[in-house]
Coordinates of all heavy atoms in Angstrom, one line a residue:
M271 N 11.3 -9.4 3.9 CA 11.0 -9.6 2.4 C 10.3 -8.3 1.9 O 9.4 -7.8 2.4 CB 10.2 -10.8 2.2 CG 10.3 -11.5 1.0 SD 9.2 -13.0 0.8 CE 9.2 -13.1 -0.9
L272 N 10.9 -7.9 0.8 CA 10.4 -6.7 0.2 C 9.3 -7.0 -1.0 O 9.6 -7.9 -1.8 CB 11.4 -5.8 -0.4 CG 12.4 -5.3 0.6 CD1 13.6 -4.5 -0.1 CD2 11.8 -4.4 1.7
F273 N 8.4 -6.2 -1.0 CA 7.2 -6.3 -2.1 C 7.0 -5.0 -2.7 O 6.8 -4.0 -2.0 CB 5.9 -6.9 -1.5 CG 6.1 -8.4 -1.1 CD1 6.4 -8.7 0.2 CD2 5.9 -9.3 -2.0 CE1 6.5 -10.0 0.6 CE2 5.9 -10.7 -1.6 CZ 6.3 -11.0 -0.3
H274 N 6.8 -4.9 -4.0 CA 6.4 -3.7 -4.7 C 4.9 -4.0 -4.8 O 4.3 -5.0 -5.3 CB 7.0 -3.7 -6.1 CG 6.5 -2.7 -7.0 ND1 5.3 -2.7 -7.6 CD2 7.1 -1.5 -7.4 CE1 5.2 -1.7 -8.4 NE2 6.2 -0.9 -8.3
V275 N 4.0 -3.1 -4.3 CA 2.7 -3.2 -4.3 C 2.0 -2.0 -5.0 O 2.3 -0.8 -4.7 CB 2.1 -3.2 -2.8 CG1 0.5 -3.3 -2.8 CG2 2.8 -4.5 -2.2
E276 N 1.2 -2.1 -6.0 CA 0.5 -1.0 -6.7 C -1.0 -1.2 -6.2 O -1.6 -2.3 -6.5 CB 0.7 -1.1 -8.1 CG 0.0 0.0 -8.8 CD 0.4 0.1 -10.3 OE1 1.5 -0.2 -10.7 OE2 -0.6 0.5 -11.1
M277 N -1.6 -0.1 -5.7 CA -2.9 -0.1 -5.3 C -3.7 1.0 -6.1 O -3.3 2.1 -6.2 CB -3.2 0.3 -3.8 CG -2.2 -0.6 -2.9 SD -2.4 0.1 -1.2 CE -1.0 -0.6 -0.4
T278 N -4.8 0.5 -6.7 CA -5.7 1.5 -7.5 C -7.0 1.5 -6.7 O -7.7 0.4 -6.4 CB -5.9 1.0 -8.8 OG1 -4.7 1.0 -9.5 CG2 -6.9 2.0 -9.6
V279 N -7.4 2.6 -6.2 CA -8.7 2.8 -5.4 C -9.8 3.1 -6.4 O -9.8 3.9 -7.2 CB -8.5 4.0 -4.4 CG1 -9.7 4.0 -3.6 CG2 -7.2 3.8 -3.5
R280 N -10.9 2.3 -6.2 CA -12.2 2.4 -7.0 C -13.3 2.4 -6.0 O -13.9 1.4 -5.7 CB -12.2 1.3 -8.0 CG -11.1 1.1 -8.9 CD -11.5 0.1 -10.0 NE -10.2 -0.4 -10.7 CZ -9.6 0.2 -11.6 NH1 -10.0 1.5 -11.9 NH2 -8.6 -0.3 -12.1
L281 N -13.5 3.6 -5.5 CA -14.7 3.7 -4.6 C -16.0 3.9 -5.5 O -16.0 4.4 -6.5 CB -14.6 5.1 -3.8 CG -13.6 5.1 -2.8 CD1 -13.5 6.5 -2.0 CD2 -13.7 4.1 -1.7
P282 N -17.0 3.1 -5.0 CA -18.3 3.2 -5.8 C -18.7 4.6 -5.9 O -18.7 5.4 -5.0 CB -19.2 2.3 -4.9 CG -18.5 1.6 -3.9 CD -17.1 2.3 -3.7
H283 N -19.3 4.9 -7.1 CA -19.8 6.3 -7.3 C -20.9 6.7 -6.5 O -21.1 7.8 -6.2 CB -20.1 6.4 -8.8 CG -19.0 6.3 -9.7 ND1 -17.9 7.1 -9.7 CD2 -18.7 5.3 -10.7 CE1 -17.0 6.7 -10.6 NE2 -17.5 5.6 -11.2
D284 N -21.6 5.7 -6.0 CA -22.8 6.0 -5.1 C -22.5 6.0 -3.6 O -23.4 6.0 -2.8 CB -24.0 5.1 -5.5 CG -23.7 3.6 -5.3 OD1 -22.5 3.3 -5.1 OD2 -24.6 2.7 -5.4
M285 N -21.2 5.8 -3.2 CA -20.9 5.9 -1.9 C -21.1 7.2 -1.3 O -20.6 8.1 -1.8 CB -19.5 5.4 -1.6 CG -19.0 5.4 -0.2 SD -17.3 4.9 0.1 CE -17.5 3.2 0.0
P286 N -21.8 7.3 -0.2 CA -22.0 8.7 0.5 C -20.6 9.3 0.8 O -19.8 8.7 1.3 CB -22.9 8.4 1.7 CG -23.4 7.1 1.5 CD -22.6 6.2 0.6
P287 N -20.5 10.7 0.4 CA -19.2 11.3 0.6 C -18.7 11.2 2.0 O -17.5 11.0 2.3 CB -19.5 12.8 0.3 CG -20.7 12.7 -0.6 CD -21.5 11.5 -0.3
A288 N -19.6 11.3 3.0 CA -19.1 11.1 4.3 C -18.6 9.8 4.7 O -17.5 9.6 5.4 CB -20.4 11.4 5.4
Q289 N -19.2 8.8 4.1 CA -18.5 7.3 4.4 C -17.1 7.3 3.7 O -16.2 6.8 4.3 CB -19.6 6.3 3.8 CG -19.1 4.9 4.1 CD -20.0 3.9 3.4 OE1 -21.0 4.2 2.8 NE2 -19.5 2.6 3.2
A290 N -17.1 7.8 2.5 CA -15.8 7.9 1.8 C -14.7 8.6 2.6 O -13.6 8.1 2.8 CB -16.0 8.4 0.4
E291 N -15.1 9.7 3.1 CA -14.1 10.5 3.9 C -13.7 9.7 5.1 O -12.5 9.7 5.5 CB -14.7 11.9 4.3 CG -14.8 12.9 3.1 CD -13.6 12.9 2.2 OE1 -12.4 12.9 2.7 OE2 -13.7 12.7 1.0
Q292 N -14.6 9.0 5.8 CA -14.3 8.3 7.1 C -13.3 7.2 6.7 O -12.4 6.9 7.4 CB -15.5 7.7 7.6 CG -15.5 7.3 9.0 CD -16.9 6.8 9.5 OE1 -17.8 6.4 8.7 NE2 -17.1 6.8 10.9
L293 N -13.5 6.5 5.6 CA -12.8 5.4 5.2 C -11.3 6.0 4.9 O -10.3 5.2 5.2 CB -13.2 4.8 3.8 CG -14.3 3.6 3.9 CD1 -14.8 3.2 2.5 CD2 -13.7 2.4 4.6
K294 N -11.3 7.2 4.2 CA -9.9 7.6 3.8 C -9.2 8.0 5.0 O -7.9 7.8 5.1 CB -10.2 8.8 2.9 CG -10.6 8.4 1.5 CD -10.7 9.6 0.6 CE -11.6 9.4 -0.5 NZ -11.8 10.7 -1.4
A295 N -9.8 8.7 6.0 CA -9.2 9.1 7.3 C -8.7 7.9 8.0 O -7.6 7.9 8.5 CB -10.1 9.9 8.1
R296 N -9.4 6.8 8.1 CA -9.1 5.7 8.8 C -7.8 4.9 8.1 O -6.9 4.5 8.7 CB -10.2 4.6 8.9 CG -10.1 3.4 9.7 CD -10.2 3.7 11.3 NE -9.7 2.5 12.0 CZ -8.6 2.4 12.7 NH1 -7.8 3.4 12.8 NH2 -8.3 1.3 13.3
E297 N -8.0 5.0 6.7 CA -6.9 4.4 6.0 C -5.6 5.2 6.2 O -4.5 4.5 6.4 CB -7.2 4.5 4.5 CG -6.1 4.1 3.5 CD -6.2 2.6 3.1 OE1 -7.2 1.9 3.5 OE2 -5.3 2.0 2.6
K298 N -5.7 6.6 6.3 CA -4.5 7.3 6.5 C -3.8 7.0 7.9 O -2.6 6.8 8.0 CB -4.9 8.7 6.5 CG -3.7 9.8 6.6 CD -4.2 11.2 6.3 CE -2.9 12.1 6.5 NZ -3.3 13.5 6.0
E299 N -4.7 6.8 8.9 CA -4.2 6.4 10.2 C -3.4 5.2 10.2 O -2.2 5.0 10.7 CB -5.5 6.2 11.1 CG -5.5 7.1 12.3 CD -6.9 6.8 13.1 OE1 -6.9 5.7 13.7 OE2 -7.9 7.7 12.9
I300 N -3.9 4.2 9.5 CA -3.4 2.8 9.5 C -2.1 2.9 8.7 O -1.1 2.3 9.0 CB -4.4 1.7 9.1 CG1 -5.4 1.6 10.2 CG2 -3.7 0.5 8.8 CD1 -6.5 0.6 9.9
A301 N -2.2 3.5 7.4 CA -1.1 3.6 6.7 C 0.1 4.4 7.3 O 1.4 3.9 7.3 CB -1.4 4.4 5.4
Q302 N -0.1 5.3 8.1 CA 0.9 6.0 8.8 C 1.5 5.2 10.0 O 2.7 5.3 10.3 CB 0.5 7.4 9.3 CG 0.2 8.3 8.0 CD -0.3 9.8 8.5 OE1 -0.6 10.1 9.5 NE2 0.0 10.7 7.5
G303 N 0.6 4.5 10.6 CA 1.1 3.5 11.6 C 2.1 2.5 11.2 O 3.1 2.2 11.6
L304 N 1.7 1.9 9.9 CA 2.6 1.0 9.3 C 3.9 1.4 8.8 O 4.9 0.9 8.8 CB 1.7 0.3 8.1 CG 0.6 -0.6 8.5 CD1 -0.2 -1.0 7.2 CD2 1.1 -1.9 9.2
Q305 N 3.8 2.8 8.4 CA 5.2 3.5 8.0 C 6.0 3.6 9.2 O 7.1 3.4 9.2 CB 4.8 4.8 7.4 CG 4.2 4.6 6.0 CD 3.7 5.9 5.4 OE1 4.5 6.8 4.9 NE2 2.4 6.2 5.4
R306 N 5.3 4.1 10.3 CA 6.1 4.3 11.5 C 6.7 3.0 12.1 O 7.7 3.0 12.6 CB 5.2 4.9 12.6 CG 5.1 6.5 12.5 CD 4.5 7.0 13.7 NE 3.0 6.8 13.7 CZ 2.2 7.6 13.2 NH1 2.5 8.7 12.6 NH2 0.8 7.2 13.3
D307 N 5.9 1.9 11.8 CA 6.6 0.6 12.2 C 7.6 0.0 11.3 O 8.1 -1.1 11.5 CB 5.4 -0.4 12.3 CG 4.4 -0.1 13.5 OD1 4.8 0.6 14.3 OD2 3.2 -0.6 13.5
G308 N 7.8 0.6 10.2 CA 8.8 0.2 9.2 C 8.3 -0.9 8.2 O 9.1 -1.4 7.4
V309 N 6.9 -1.2 8.3 CA 6.4 -2.2 7.4 C 6.1 -1.5 6.0 O 6.4 -2.2 4.9 CB 5.1 -2.7 8.0 CG1 4.3 -3.5 7.0 CG2 5.4 -3.4 9.3
W310 N 5.5 -0.3 6.0 CA 5.2 0.4 4.7 C 6.4 1.3 4.4 O 6.3 2.5 4.9 CB 3.9 1.1 4.8 CG 3.1 1.5 3.6 CD1 3.8 1.8 2.3 CD2 1.8 1.5 3.4 NE1 2.8 2.0 1.5 CE2 1.6 1.8 2.0 CE3 0.6 1.2 4.3 CZ2 0.2 2.0 1.6 CZ3 -0.6 1.4 3.7 CH2 -0.7 1.8 2.3
R311 N 7.4 0.8 3.7 CA 8.7 1.6 3.6 C 8.6 2.8 2.6 O 9.2 3.8 2.9 CB 9.7 0.7 3.0 CG 10.2 -0.5 4.0 CD 11.5 0.0 4.6 NE 12.2 -1.1 5.1 CZ 13.3 -1.6 4.4 NH1 13.8 -0.9 3.4 NH2 13.8 -2.7 4.8
H312 N 7.8 2.6 1.5 CA 7.6 3.8 0.6 C 6.2 3.9 0.2 O 5.5 2.8 0.1 CB 8.5 3.6 -0.7 CG 9.9 3.7 -0.5 ND1 10.6 4.9 -0.6 CD2 10.8 2.8 -0.1 CE1 11.9 4.7 -0.3 NE2 12.0 3.3 0.1
L313 N 5.7 5.0 0.1 CA 4.3 5.3 -0.3 C 4.4 6.5 -1.3 O 4.7 7.6 -0.9 CB 3.3 5.6 0.8 CG 2.0 6.1 0.5 CD1 1.2 5.1 -0.3 CD2 1.2 6.3 1.9
W314 N 4.1 6.2 -2.6 CA 4.1 7.3 -3.6 C 2.8 7.3 -4.4 O 2.3 6.3 -4.8 CB 5.2 7.0 -4.6 CG 6.6 7.0 -4.1 CD1 7.4 5.9 -3.5 CD2 7.5 8.1 -3.8 NE1 8.6 6.3 -3.0 CE2 8.7 7.7 -3.2 CE3 7.4 9.5 -4.1 CZ2 9.7 8.6 -2.9 CZ3 8.4 10.4 -3.7 CH2 9.5 9.9 -3.2
R315 N 2.3 8.5 -4.6 CA 1.2 8.7 -5.4 C 1.6 8.5 -6.9 O 2.7 9.0 -7.3 CB 0.6 10.1 -5.2 CG -0.5 10.5 -6.2 CD -1.8 9.6 -5.9 NE -2.5 9.9 -4.6 CZ -3.0 9.1 -3.9 NH1 -3.0 7.7 -4.2 NH2 -3.6 9.3 -2.7
I316 N 0.8 7.8 -7.7 CA 1.0 7.8 -9.2 C 0.4 9.1 -9.7 O -0.9 9.1 -9.5 CB 0.5 6.5 -9.8 CG1 1.1 5.3 -9.1 CG2 0.7 6.5 -11.3 CD1 0.7 4.0 -9.6
A317 N 1.0 9.9 -10.3 CA 0.6 11.1 -10.7 C -0.7 11.0 -11.6 O -0.6 10.2 -12.5 CB 1.6 12.1 -11.3
G318 N -1.7 11.7 -11.3 CA -3.0 11.8 -12.2 C -3.7 10.6 -11.9 O -4.9 10.5 -12.8
R319 N -3.5 9.6 -11.0 CA -4.4 8.6 -10.8 C -4.7 8.4 -9.2 O -3.9 8.9 -8.5 CB -3.8 7.3 -11.3 CG -3.6 7.1 -12.7 CD -2.9 5.8 -13.1 NE -3.4 4.7 -12.3 CZ -2.7 3.5 -12.3 NH1 -1.5 3.4 -12.9 NH2 -3.2 2.5 -11.6
Y320 N -5.8 7.8 -8.9 CA -6.1 7.6 -7.4 C -5.5 6.2 -7.2 O -6.2 5.2 -7.2 CB -7.7 7.5 -7.2 CG -8.0 7.6 -5.7 CD1 -7.0 7.6 -4.7 CD2 -9.3 7.5 -5.3 CE1 -7.3 7.5 -3.4 CE2 -9.7 7.4 -3.9 CZ -8.6 7.4 -3.0 OH -8.9 7.4 -1.7
A321 N -4.2 6.2 -7.2 CA -3.4 4.9 -7.0 C -2.0 5.3 -6.4 O -1.6 6.4 -6.5 CB -3.2 4.4 -8.5
N322 N -1.4 4.3 -5.9 CA -0.2 4.4 -5.3 C 0.8 3.3 -5.7 O 0.3 2.2 -6.0 CB -0.2 4.6 -3.8 CG -0.6 3.4 -3.1 OD1 0.3 2.5 -3.0 ND2 -1.8 3.3 -2.6
V323 N 2.1 3.6 -5.6 CA 3.2 2.5 -5.7 C 3.8 2.5 -4.3 O 4.2 3.5 -3.7 CB 4.1 2.8 -6.7 CG1 5.3 2.1 -6.5 CG2 3.6 2.4 -8.1
S324 N 3.8 1.4 -3.6 CA 4.4 1.2 -2.4 C 5.5 0.2 -2.2 O 5.4 -0.8 -3.0 CB 3.3 0.9 -1.4 OG 2.3 2.0 -1.3
I325 N 6.3 0.2 -1.3 CA 7.1 -0.9 -0.9 C 6.9 -1.3 0.5 O 6.9 -0.4 1.4 CB 8.6 -0.5 -1.0 CG1 9.0 0.1 -2.4 CG2 9.6 -1.6 -0.6 CD1 9.0 -1.0 -3.5
F326 N 6.6 -2.6 0.7 CA 6.3 -3.2 2.0 C 7.5 -4.1 2.4 O 8.0 -4.8 1.5 CB 5.0 -4.0 2.0 CG 3.8 -3.3 2.0 CD1 3.2 -2.4 0.8 CD2 3.0 -3.0 3.2 CE1 2.1 -1.7 0.9 CE2 1.9 -2.3 3.3 CZ 1.4 -1.6 2.2
D327 N 7.8 -4.1 3.7 CA 8.8 -5.0 4.2 C 8.2 -5.8 5.2 O 7.8 -5.4 6.4 CB 9.9 -4.1 4.8 CG 11.1 -4.8 5.2 OD1 11.0 -6.2 5.1 OD2 12.1 -4.2 5.7
V328 N 7.9 -7.1 4.9 CA 7.2 -8.0 5.8 C 7.9 -9.4 5.8 O 8.8 -9.7 4.9 CB 5.8 -8.2 5.3 CG1 4.9 -6.9 5.5 CG2 5.8 -8.6 3.9
A329 N 7.5 -10.3 6.6 CA 8.2 -11.5 6.8 C 8.1 -12.5 5.6 O 9.1 -13.2 5.2 CB 7.7 -12.2 8.1
D330 N 6.9 -12.5 5.1 CA 6.5 -13.4 4.0 C 5.2 -13.0 3.3 O 4.6 -12.0 3.6 CB 6.5 -14.8 4.6 CG 5.5 -14.9 5.7 OD1 4.5 -14.1 5.8 OD2 5.7 -15.8 6.6
V331 N 4.8 -13.8 2.3 CA 3.7 -13.5 1.5 C 2.4 -13.4 2.4 O 1.6 -12.5 2.2 CB 3.5 -14.4 0.4 CG1 2.2 -14.1 -0.5 CG2 4.7 -14.5 -0.5
A332 N 2.3 -14.3 3.2 CA 1.1 -14.4 4.2 C 1.0 -13.1 5.0 O -0.1 -12.5 5.2 CB 1.1 -15.7 5.1
S333 N 2.2 -12.6 5.5 CA 2.1 -11.4 6.3 C 1.7 -10.3 5.5 O 1.0 -9.4 5.9 CB 3.5 -11.1 6.8 OG 4.0 -12.1 7.6
L334 N 2.3 -10.2 4.2 CA 1.8 -9.1 3.4 C 0.3 -9.2 3.2 O -0.4 -8.1 3.2 CB 2.5 -9.1 1.9 CG 2.0 -8.2 1.0 CD1 2.5 -6.7 1.5 CD2 2.5 -8.4 -0.4
H335 N -0.2 -10.3 2.8 CA -1.6 -10.4 2.7 C -2.4 -9.9 3.9 O -3.4 -9.3 3.7 CB -2.0 -11.9 2.3 CG -3.5 -12.0 1.9 ND1 -4.0 -11.6 0.8 CD2 -4.5 -12.6 2.7 CE1 -5.4 -11.8 0.8 NE2 -5.7 -12.5 2.0
D336 N -2.0 -10.5 5.1 CA -2.6 -10.1 6.3 C -2.6 -8.6 6.6 O -3.6 -8.0 6.9 CB -2.1 -10.8 7.5 CG -2.3 -12.3 7.4 OD1 -3.3 -12.7 6.7 OD2 -1.6 -13.1 8.2
T337 N -1.5 -8.0 6.2 CA -1.4 -6.5 6.4 C -2.4 -5.8 5.5 O -3.0 -4.8 5.8 CB 0.1 -6.1 6.1 OG1 1.0 -6.7 6.9 CG2 0.2 -4.6 6.2
L338 N -2.3 -6.2 4.2 CA -3.2 -5.5 3.3 C -4.7 -5.6 3.6 O -5.5 -4.7 3.3 CB -2.9 -6.1 1.8 CG -1.6 -5.8 1.2 CD1 -1.4 -6.5 -0.1 CD2 -1.3 -4.3 1.1
L339 N -5.0 -6.9 4.2 CA -6.4 -7.1 4.6 C -6.9 -6.0 5.6 O -8.1 -5.9 6.0 CB -6.6 -8.4 5.2 CG -6.8 -9.6 4.3 CD1 -7.0 -10.9 5.0 CD2 -8.2 -9.4 3.5
T340 N -5.9 -5.5 6.5 CA -6.2 -4.5 7.5 C -6.6 -3.2 7.0 O -7.2 -2.3 7.7 CB -5.1 -4.4 8.6 OG1 -4.0 -3.6 8.0 CG2 -4.7 -5.7 9.1
L341 N -6.4 -2.9 5.7 CA -6.6 -1.6 5.2 C -8.1 -1.4 5.0 O -8.7 -2.1 4.2 CB -5.8 -1.4 3.9 CG -4.3 -1.5 4.0 CD1 -3.6 -1.4 2.6 CD2 -3.7 -0.6 5.0
P342 N -8.6 -0.2 5.5 CA -10.0 0.0 5.3 C -10.4 0.1 3.9 O -11.6 -0.3 3.5 CB -10.3 1.3 6.0 CG -9.1 1.3 7.1 CD -8.0 0.7 6.4
L343 N -9.6 0.5 3.0 CA -9.8 0.7 1.6 C -9.8 -0.8 0.8 O -9.9 -0.7 -0.4 CB -9.1 1.7 0.9 CG -9.5 3.3 1.4 CD1 -8.4 4.3 0.6 CD2 -10.8 3.5 0.8
F344 N -9.2 -1.7 1.5 CA -8.9 -3.0 0.9 C -10.1 -3.4 -0.1 O -9.9 -3.9 -1.1 CB -8.6 -4.0 1.8 CG -8.4 -5.4 1.3 CD1 -7.0 -5.6 0.7 CD2 -9.3 -6.3 1.1 CE1 -6.8 -6.9 0.1 CE2 -9.0 -7.7 0.5 CZ -7.8 -7.9 0.0
P345 N -11.4 -3.4 0.3 CA -12.5 -4.0 -0.4 C -12.7 -3.1 -1.8 O -13.4 -3.5 -2.7 CB -13.7 -3.8 0.4 CG -13.3 -3.7 1.8 CD -11.9 -2.9 1.7
Y346 N -12.0 -1.9 -1.8 CA -12.3 -1.0 -2.8 C -11.0 -0.8 -3.7 O -11.0 0.2 -4.5 CB -12.8 0.3 -2.3 CG -14.0 0.1 -1.5 CD1 -13.8 0.3 0.0 CD2 -15.3 -0.1 -2.0 CE1 -14.9 0.2 0.7 CE2 -16.3 -0.2 -1.2 CZ -16.2 -0.2 0.2 OH -17.3 -0.3 1.1
M347 N -10.0 -1.7 -3.5 CA -8.8 -1.5 -4.2 C -8.4 -2.7 -5.2 O -8.6 -3.8 -4.7 CB -7.6 -1.3 -3.3 CG -7.8 0.0 -2.5 SD -6.1 0.6 -1.8 CE -6.1 -0.6 -0.3
D348 N -7.9 -2.4 -6.4 CA -7.3 -3.4 -7.1 C -5.8 -3.4 -6.7 O -5.2 -2.4 -6.7 CB -7.4 -3.1 -8.6 CG -8.7 -3.3 -9.1 OD1 -9.5 -4.0 -8.5 OD2 -9.1 -2.6 -10.2
I349 N -5.3 -4.5 -6.3 CA -3.9 -4.5 -5.7 C -3.0 -5.5 -6.6 O -3.5 -6.7 -6.8 CB -3.9 -5.0 -4.2 CG1 -4.8 -4.0 -3.5 CG2 -2.5 -5.0 -3.7 CD1 -4.8 -4.4 -2.0
Q350 N -1.9 -5.0 -6.9 CA -0.9 -5.9 -7.7 C 0.3 -6.0 -6.9 O 0.9 -5.0 -6.4 CB -0.4 -5.2 -9.0 CG -1.4 -5.4 -10.1 CD -0.9 -4.9 -11.5 OE1 0.0 -4.0 -11.6 NE2 -1.3 -5.5 -12.5
V351 N 0.9 -7.2 -6.7 CA 2.0 -7.5 -5.8 C 3.1 -8.0 -6.7 O 2.9 -9.0 -7.4 CB 1.6 -8.4 -4.7 CG1 2.9 -8.9 -3.9 CG2 0.5 -7.8 -3.7
R352 N 4.3 -7.5 -6.4 CA 5.5 -8.1 -7.0 C 6.5 -8.3 -6.0 O 7.0 -7.4 -5.3 CB 6.1 -7.1 -8.1 CG 5.1 -6.9 -9.3 CD 5.7 -5.9 -10.3 NE 4.9 -5.6 -11.4 CZ 4.2 -4.5 -11.4 NH1 4.0 -3.6 -10.4 NH2 3.3 -4.3 -12.5
P353 N 6.9 -9.6 -5.8 CA 8.1 -9.8 -4.9 C 9.4 -9.3 -5.4 O 9.7 -9.3 -6.6 CB 8.1 -11.3 -4.7 CG 7.3 -11.8 -5.8 CD 6.5 -10.8 -6.5
L354 N 10.2 -8.7 -4.5 CA 11.5 -8.1 -4.9 C 12.6 -8.9 -4.3 O 12.6 -9.4 -3.1 CB 11.5 -6.7 -4.5 CG 10.5 -5.8 -5.0 CD1 10.6 -4.4 -4.4 CD2 10.5 -5.6 -6.5
C355 N 13.7 -8.9 -5.0 CA 15.0 -9.4 -4.3 C 16.1 -8.4 -5.0 O 16.0 -7.7 -5.9 CB 15.4 -10.7 -4.7 SG 15.5 -11.2 -6.5
R356 N 17.3 -8.5 -4.3 CA 18.3 -7.4 -4.6 C 18.8 -7.7 -6.1 O 19.0 -8.8 -6.5 CB 19.5 -7.4 -3.6 CG 20.5 -6.3 -3.8 CD 21.4 -6.3 -2.7 NE 20.8 -6.4 -1.4 CZ 21.2 -7.3 -0.4 NH1 22.3 -8.0 -0.7 NH2 20.6 -7.4 0.7
H357 N 19.1 -6.5 -6.8 CA 19.7 -6.6 -8.2 C 21.1 -6.9 -8.0 O 21.8 -6.3 -7.1 CB 19.3 -5.3 -8.9 CG 19.5 -5.5 -10.3 ND1 20.8 -5.7 -10.9 CD2 18.8 -5.5 -11.4 CE1 20.7 -5.7 -12.3 NE2 19.3 -5.7 -12.5
G358 N 21.6 -7.8 -8.9 CA 23.1 -8.2 -8.8 C 23.9 -6.9 -9.0 O 25.1 -6.9 -8.6
S359 N 23.5 -5.9 -9.6 CA 24.3 -4.7 -10.0 C 24.1 -3.6 -9.0 O 24.6 -2.5 -9.2 CB 23.9 -4.1 -11.4 OG 24.2 -5.1 -12.3
S360 N 23.2 -3.8 -8.0 CA 22.9 -2.9 -7.0 C 24.2 -2.6 -6.2 O 25.0 -3.4 -5.8 CB 21.8 -3.3 -6.0 OG 21.7 -2.4 -4.9
I361 N 24.5 -1.3 -5.9 CA 25.7 -0.9 -5.1 C 25.4 -0.9 -3.5 O 26.3 -0.6 -2.7 CB 26.4 0.4 -5.6 CG1 25.2 1.6 -5.3 CG2 26.7 0.4 -6.9 CD1 25.9 2.9 -5.4
H362 N 24.1 -1.2 -3.3 CA 23.7 -1.3 -1.9 C 23.9 -2.5 -1.3 O 23.5 -3.5 -1.8 CB 22.3 -0.6 -1.7 CG 22.1 0.7 -2.2 ND1 22.6 1.9 -1.6 CD2 21.5 1.2 -3.2 CE1 22.3 2.9 -2.3 NE2 21.6 2.6 -3.3
G363 N 24.6 -2.5 -0.1 CA 24.8 -3.7 0.6 C 23.6 -4.3 1.4 O 23.5 -5.4 1.7
D364 N 22.6 -3.4 1.5 CA 21.4 -3.8 2.3 C 20.3 -3.8 1.3 O 20.5 -3.8 0.1 CB 21.2 -2.9 3.4 CG 21.0 -1.5 3.0 OD1 20.8 -1.2 1.9 OD2 21.1 -0.6 3.9
D365 N 19.0 -3.9 1.9 CA 17.9 -3.9 0.8 C 17.2 -2.6 0.7 O 16.1 -2.5 0.4 CB 16.8 -4.9 1.4 CG 16.4 -4.6 2.8 OD1 16.7 -3.5 3.3 OD2 15.6 -5.4 3.4
R366 N 18.0 -1.5 0.7 CA 17.4 -0.1 0.5 C 16.8 -0.1 -1.0 O 17.5 -0.7 -1.9 CB 18.4 0.9 0.7 CG 18.7 1.2 2.1 CD 19.6 2.4 2.2 NE 20.9 1.9 1.9 CZ 22.0 2.8 1.6 NH1 21.8 4.0 1.7 NH2 23.1 2.4 1.2
Ligands
LIG654 O1 -4.6 7.1 -1.4 C1 -4.3 5.9 -1.7 O2 -3.4 5.6 -2.7 C2 -5.0 4.7 -1.0 C3 -4.4 4.5 0.4 C4 -2.9 4.4 0.5 C5 -2.5 5.1 1.7 C6 -3.7 5.8 2.1 O3 -3.7 6.7 2.9 O4 -4.7 5.6 1.2

């Protein structure tokens, strides 16, 4: 099942820079692992914002939630989720 996920990162202004860098490095590791596993299908930066638009491919809503919970930045993100299904006019036979 595909989901459009928009994440906006809001780190506290008083977070020590070293802690922020550690969180971001760990987040990158996990994000890249999920991409290699085919779960995090797309990851795009929203230009001019500390935010991304992503496509996740997971079994169901609970799996998406569990996956998002594993992200080190989860406590510092506003996350919007939109479930997706194929558009009737899409020329793609699969879920690309
Ligand atoms: O930078 C972000 O948008 C937040 C998050 C998503 C992937 C990653 O490495 O960090």
Side-chain angles (χ1 to χ4, degrees):
M271 203 178 165
L272 296 178
F273 291 91
H274 174 286
V275 179
E276 183 173 326
M277 307 177 203
T278 301
V279 184
R280 300 189 199 286
L281 291 177
H283 296 299
D284 59 354
M285 178 179 281
Q289 186 186 344
E291 287 317 308
Q292 198 177 22
L293 272 173
K294 289 179 199 175
R296 186 80 190 110
E297 177 86 11
K298 184 174 184 174
E299 239 175 75
I300 291 180
Q302 292 188 336
L304 289 168
Q305 287 171 78
R306 280 190 284 270
D307 292 344
V309 169
W310 200 326
R311 291 263 206 107
H312 290 267
L313 171 57
W314 295 95
R315 175 65 72 218
I316 301 177
R319 290 175 50 195
Y320 191 4
N322 71 73
V323 162
S324 295
I325 302 292
F326 281 78
D327 187 354
V328 291
D330 51 29
V331 180
S333 303
L334 177 68
H335 184 72
D336 291 344
T337 301
L338 295 174
L339 274 179
T340 68
L341 302 178
L343 288 176
F344 180 83
Y346 307 104
M347 293 198 284
D348 289 336
I349 301 179
Q350 282 189 329
V351 172
R352 297 179 180 96
L354 302 175
C355 58
R356 191 169 315 132
H357 194 292
S359 302
S360 171
I361 62 167
H362 298 294
D364 57 19
D365 58 6
R366 281 182 296 165

